[in-house]
Structures are given as structure tokens and as C-alpha cells.
Amino acid sequence: MREDPADAELPGHKLLVRAGYVRRAAPGVYSWLPLGLKVLRKVEQVVREEMDAIGGQELSFPALLPREPYEATNRWTEYGPNLFRLQDRKGNDMLLGPTHEEMFTLAVKDMFSSYKELPLTLYQIQTKYRDEARPRAGLLRGREFVMKDSYSFDVDDAGLEAAYQRHREAYVRIFDRLGFEYVVVHADSGAMGGSASEEFLAVSPVGEDTFVRCEASGYAANVEAVVVPQAPPVDPAVVASTPAAHVEDTPDSPTIDTLVAQANALHPRVDGRPWTAADTLKNVVVLLTHPDGRTEPLAVGLPGDRDVDAKRLEAQVAPAQWAPFEEKDFAAYPMLAKGYIGPAVLGLEKASGIRYLLDPSVAEGSAWVTGADEHGKHVFDLVLGRDFTADGTIQAAEIKEGDPSPDGAGTLTLARGIEMGHIFQLGRKYAEALGLKVLDENGKLVTVTMGSYGVGVSRAVAAVAEATHDEVGLCWPRALAPADVHVVATGKSQDVYDQGELLVADLEAAGLTVIYDDRPKVSPGVKFKDAELLGVPTIVVIGKGLAEGTIEVKDRRTGGRRDVPVERTVGEVLAEVRGDAHPA
């Protein structure tokens, strides 16, 4: 394609479609065309080799699955609208597999009964299905995608820890081979459950995930997994000296900015310092929808200089989903004064009955300016513990550049990434739900402990495309390129095409894969642009130089070109593909 597809957002996505690697079939669903399939298979092979190297055994479960195992683990309900559900002609409930923990667990339960048969690692490379509400970014956020998922089965926690480390090391090798910058971060286990959890993120400005790093300590975490420590309580002497809470007029101040302006204009601080957003307590009410359809409001209190982070809140309330409070929701709770909501009405035991959770940075004994539950009024010097309480805390406030690292060793920097792999120590959640037990060395039945380890295989194709393209096309690393060499024959002379045929035959006889552009009626300029668009690492041009006995060899990434004698072309190309020095 000469023009960017209208539905493509990201540069790599546009190039994958334009170059004929993938083609959109429906929102979030893509066909793999011949070139794209070659790249996908190479990613699969890298993953397969490293999984086999740690003793993994490959199998393949169906994508069409029965309801019953997912009912047993409650994920038929917990997955909510993200699950593709259907019925067969007999009315039996089925689903398209979003992930296969249940199937792996049941397979091991059916086939193994003794500790002597463990440890065990099984994996598959399989198509998964999730009904994303907003599929976007091409292969990065689709409704059908290819994933490697593996599972370890051990008798005890020590075995699980060892299996987790083996997978972690294998993942490092996988992503090193795939050839893009990545970082390993602490992650939230979410609906998967379990204890330890880490993500492998491809560092990319177009990534959907935000992560933090502390250069001083090496700490790294997805923002959802950052645990802000509880602020220490304020000195009781300071609390005792804080004036009693008092309600003041603050007309036309439904936002933090307008509140700060009105507070400074009408109610300046006695110490002369101006009020700032950090002095205010923002109370945000959202509506939770649980997988069974039940809804409930939730109030989050946080300093006014912070916003609620959508992903952090999502991780905290999962498997429920959240949405902003709308006018109809406020109408159902008339005690909530929109723009002026305060703690006085919030809490399970208060007038609203709405659960009220505070950001842990709100310290016991701290004083705030916050809503007075009446339009045009705010309360000043409202002290936590003295004047109001909450039902608990929640890690939902945004993390900012320069925030202190949770490990106390420095400050945080923020970056974006694409989730490429996720490893979990699942523990016994699924084994207990599905009755996976084996006899231990004492002849006693024990519940097996599991680990879960995923790699986004089709997503890796997109991540590499985003990370390695340039302004004119794709630039595949050698390990993933759809071919070793792209041979371009230009001009009208039959000698050029005859030499092209000979060269392609010799390269293939030497074990290389070749794309050969021998289109007779296409101009050299179009062929060169197509070669740059396709992104094969080595481009060989047979054209005008043939009359002088030379052929051009070009490095796609660097743009470097050199003319080599015809008789040395195969040797030169072989050396380049294999990473050897150019032969003398």
C-alpha cells in the first residue's frame, strides 16, 4: 500500500499493514499474510527453543472450551464482558479461551498422582480470545492474539520458587534474542491471583503501560504495583494546636483550582503561606460494576494535587470494573453535593453508606481543606482521626515523576512500555478449586502449587516493528526477518534477470532464504521503496553495475552500500547474514 491505512494509529502498525504483513479482518482481529506469518513463526521458534531448554513440554489445548472448569474457578463470572461466550446446538455453554489455567490444571490432575512425577512444566503456543471493549493499536491490543502460556507444577513452595526463577531466566534469553529494549518490573497479579509477579515490558513511547524506575536502587514496577507507604501520623502536639474545623463560603469553586483561588482570596492562611492543591482533600466517587452485575459506589479520598490513576484503580477494584459517577448516579445520592463532596457523608456508617477509602499519603492527624457537602462551601482544618475517619486505604492515586521510591532509596522516574511477558507465582488457587492433589513422599495427599508464565507472541511482532522501524519502513532484526536477503533486479536488460536467477539459486543453495523482486514492469524507484518498506536486513541490487561486473549490497538499517564483484557476492552476503567480517 502506498498510503497509510485509515484505521492504523501507530507507526509500526501502519507499516505492518502497508508492507503486507497483516490485514485487518475486524476490529481487533487480523489476518497473517505470508510475510507476517514468517515473522510470527520465528518469534514462536525463539520462544519454543527457550522453553524446551528449561524442560518445558509442549502441548496444545483447544480454543473452544466448556463452561464447567471456568465455573469451578469462578472465572466464568469474574471475566465479565471480556469473555467470548457461545452455546452449541444443544444449548451447552462454551467459551473461546482467554487463557488456559483451568485446562492445564485438569490435564495434570487426570494424568499425574505422585510427587515422583513432579516437578513438571507444560506449555502451549495458542490463539487466545478476549472481547476488548476498545481494541486498538493493531496487534498490541487485539481481540484475537497468539500467546505462549506455560505452567509449572510442584509439590511445595521451594519448587515453585525454583520454577519461577527458571522461567525468569528463560524470559531474559527470549527477549534478548528478540532484539528490543526491555525492562523487568514488579507487577500486580490482578485477577490471576498469586504472590510474586513480574512483567517484561518493551520500552516504548507508544506503550499502554506506565512503569517507574529508581536509578539509585534499581527498583522498577508497573504503576499498578507501586505500593505507597502509609504516611506516619502527625505529631499529637501539632494536632492539638490545629484549630477546630470550620465551614467557610467558597463560591463558584467546584474544582481544585477554583477552590485554591477562592481560599487564598477569601480565607488566607494565618502563617502567610499560600494555599496549594496539596492542602486540599479531593473526594472522587466512582461506580463499581461487579462481574455478577451488582453495582456499588466507591469514594476515594486523595490530596488535591493528585488525580486518580485509572489503571491503579482498575487493579485495586478488579474483578469489578469502574466508571465515573454520572448525573443519574448523583440523583440517587442527594446528600452528595457535586464538586463539594466531603468526608462527613462518606463511609459505610455515614449518611451515604458509600465505602470511603483514603490514599495512604493522607496521614492520621493531618488537616485538610475539603468539601462541606453544600454547594459553595468548604470546611477548613478538618483533621483525620479527630474530625473524620475512613473505611480503609487504597493505592489509586497517580504516581508522579520525582516521587520517593517505595524502597526509600531515591526518587522515581516514569516511562512507558508494552507488556510482552508476565510471570506469576500462582500458588494453589487453581489447584484447590479443581482438586489437583498428589501423594507426597509420606503417602499423604497434598495440593500442588503452580506458576503461570505468559509471552505475547503476536504482540512481539508489533513491539519489534514499533521499536525498530525508521521513517521509510520496517527494519527487522535478523533473527525475526521474513527472509535473510532481499534481491532486487532493476532495468530492462535480460542479463540482469538471468544473473538474478543465478544469484538467488546460489544463495538458497547456501542455506539462505531470499525474497526476489523480479517484476519486469515496475520502476527501480518503486522496487527500492518496497525493499525499504519490507525491512529485510540485507538488500542486494542487480542493475547498472552488472556491466562493470559488480552488484550492490546494502545494509537496510544503516543505509551503508558497497559494490562487490559478481563472483564474490554470495560470500559477502553469507558473511553479512552470519555476522562475520567481510571477506578480503
Side-chain angles (χ1 to χ4, degrees):
M1 296 170 61
R2 297 296 161 217
E3 302 296 329
D4 289 335
D7 64 317
E9 310 159 39
L10 305 180
H13 179 200
K14 294 174 183 177
L15 293 170
L16 284 170
V17 176
R18 279 187 53 206
Y21 284 79
V22 298
R23 195 167 192 83
R24 182 179 181 270
V29 182
Y30 284 82
S31 302
W32 290 90
L33 303 182
L35 289 177
L37 194 59
K38 290 179 185 295
V39 177
L40 180 69
R41 294 291 182 250
K42 288 194 171 185
V43 175
E44 290 179 355
Q45 189 57 30
V46 168
V47 173
R48 184 172 283 115
E49 288 172 1
E50 296 300 341
M51 288 306 303
D52 290 348
I54 62 169
Q57 299 185 68
E58 185 175 5
L59 44 65
S60 182
F61 288 108
L64 182 64
L65 301 169
R67 170 178 176 167
E68 288 74 18
Y70 290 81
E71 189 77 63
T73 59
N74 202 39
R75 293 210 295 177
W76 176 264
T77 300
E78 284 186 356
Y79 255 107
N82 286 336
L83 203 62
F84 278 104
R85 307 163 199 266
L86 65 156
Q87 289 186 331
D88 65 15
R89 65 179 64 198
K90 295 181 179 179
N92 298 310
D93 285 325
M94 309 285 285
L95 69 146
L96 294 178
T99 182
H100 283 73
E101 282 82 3
E102 287 82 354
M103 303 310 294
F104 277 90
T105 305
L106 288 173
V108 173
K109 178 184 178 181
D110 290 344
M111 295 187 290
F112 300 92
S113 59
S114 170
Y115 77 97
K116 296 177 182 179
E117 298 164 306
L118 302 182
L120 174 70
T121 295
L122 301 174
Y123 77 94
Q124 66 171 348
I125 298 174
Q126 172 64 287
T127 304
K128 313 285 189 178
Y129 300 87
R130 295 176 191 170
D131 194 2
E132 292 281 352
R134 294 175 298 278
R136 56 199 178 278
L139 301 174
L140 291 180
R141 179 63 67 179
R143 297 194 292 172
E144 176 183 283
F145 53 95
V146 180
M147 178 177 164
K148 186 283 300 181
D149 51 335
S150 58
Y151 300 85
S152 62
F153 300 85
D154 289 273
V155 175
D156 53 30
D157 292 341
L160 170 58
E161 175 63 29
Y164 184 89
Q165 290 304 319
R166 284 196 300 273
H167 275 83
R168 193 182 193 281
E169 292 163 7
Y171 275 37
V172 167
R173 293 191 294 270
I174 287 170
F175 295 119
D176 283 348
R177 291 178 64 182
L178 293 183
F180 51 79
E181 182 187 0
Y182 68 93
V183 62
V184 187
V185 303
H186 296 290
D188 180 77
S189 295
M192 293 286 287
S195 52
S197 173
E198 291 176 290
E199 285 179 348
F200 290 71
L201 300 178
V203 179
S204 171
V206 303
E208 289 188 327
D209 286 66
T210 302
F211 67 94
V212 299
R213 283 188 279 200
C214 175
E215 299 296 337
S217 66
Y219 171 87
N222 195 306
V223 289
E224 293 101 299
V226 175
V227 178
V228 176
Q230 179 63 53
V234 174
D235 187 322
V238 174
V239 176
S241 66
T242 303
H246 49 103
V247 175
E248 304 290 352
D249 289 328
T250 51
D252 301 319
S253 56
T255 68
I256 295 298
D257 288 342
T258 55
L259 169 58
V260 170
Q262 290 285 43
N264 281 316
L266 302 176
H267 312 287
R269 293 174 59 98
V270 295
D271 61 6
R273 175 177 72 79
W275 295 106
T276 70
D279 299 313
T280 69
L281 183 65
K282 178 192 301 183
N283 297 297
V284 179
V285 185
V286 299
L287 189 68
L288 303 184
T289 301
H290 295 275
D292 59 6
R294 179 174 54 88
T295 62
E296 65 164 322
L298 172 69
V300 177
L302 67 164
D305 62 343
R306 305 268 167 165
D307 289 325
V308 170
D309 184 295
K311 288 203 167 186
R312 278 170 63 77
L313 179 58
E314 179 183 342
Q316 291 291 305
V317 302
Q321 296 182 327
W322 72 271
F325 237 48
E326 298 179 351
E327 291 300 331
K328 61 180 176 59
D329 302 314
F330 278 104
Y333 290 86
M335 72 290 297
L336 299 180
K338 186 178 179 182
Y340 300 86
I341 301 171
V345 299
L346 298 175
L348 293 173
E349 305 301 324
K350 301 290 181 61
S352 67
I354 296 174
R355 186 159 52 111
Y356 183 40
L357 304 177
L358 286 174
D359 184 77
S361 66
V362 180
E364 184 81 8
S366 55
W368 300 90
V369 180
T370 190
D373 304 305
E374 185 178 346
H375 288 279
K377 293 182 183 294
H378 282 85
V379 59
F380 289 64
D381 293 315
L382 195 74
V383 175
L384 176 61
R386 185 190 73 179
D387 304 317
F388 75 101
T389 59
D391 298 312
T393 60
I394 187 170
Q395 299 277 345
E398 65 178 330
I399 305 298
K400 291 186 175 182
E401 188 93 12
D403 280 351
S405 177
D407 61 7
T411 58
L412 297 176
T413 59
L414 274 67
R416 301 194 68 80
I418 300 166
E419 183 185 348
M420 297 305 309
H422 204 157
I423 56 178
F424 302 86
Q425 291 188 24
L426 279 184
R428 296 171 175 82
K429 173 181 176 180
Y430 294 92
E432 287 175 347
L434 297 168
L436 172 55
K437 298 176 183 290
V438 296
L439 292 172
D440 67 9
E441 56 188 357
N442 298 315
K444 180 183 177 182
L445 277 175
V446 294
T447 302
V448 170
T449 186
M450 295 170 56
S452 174
Y453 318 91
V455 169
V457 175
S458 52
R459 180 177 283 193
V461 176
V464 173
E466 297 297 341
T468 60
H469 71 84
D470 60 19
E471 67 278 4
V472 294
L474 298 163
C475 294
W476 295 109
R478 271 199 195 281
L480 301 186
D484 296 312
V485 189
H486 188 143
V487 175
V488 180
T490 65
K492 298 179 180 180
S493 169
Q494 187 58 42
D495 290 345
V496 167
Y497 292 92
D498 290 344
Q499 183 60 49
E501 294 286 351
L502 289 171
L503 178 60
V504 169
D506 289 343
L507 291 171
E508 290 180 336
L512 302 185
T513 55
V514 184
I515 292 175
Y516 180 33
D517 188 346
D518 61 349
R519 294 172 292 176
K521 296 182 180 180
V522 176
S523 71
V526 170
K527 289 184 178 183
F528 296 152
K529 284 185 176 181
D530 286 348
E532 291 176 326
L533 177 63
L534 293 181
V536 173
T538 300
I539 300 171
V540 176
V541 180
I542 307 171
K544 294 179 181 178
L546 188 63
E548 285 77 44
T550 63
I551 291 175
E552 180 183 275
V553 178
K554 176 183 176 182
D555 184 290
R556 169 67 184 87
R557 177 165 299 284
T558 67
R561 308 164 186 262
R562 64 186 189 280
D563 292 330
V564 301
V566 171
E567 65 274 11
R568 288 176 47 192
T569 303
V570 172
E572 289 273 350
V573 172
L574 274 172
E576 186 159 304
V577 170
R578 293 170 179 169
D580 301 332
H582 298 144

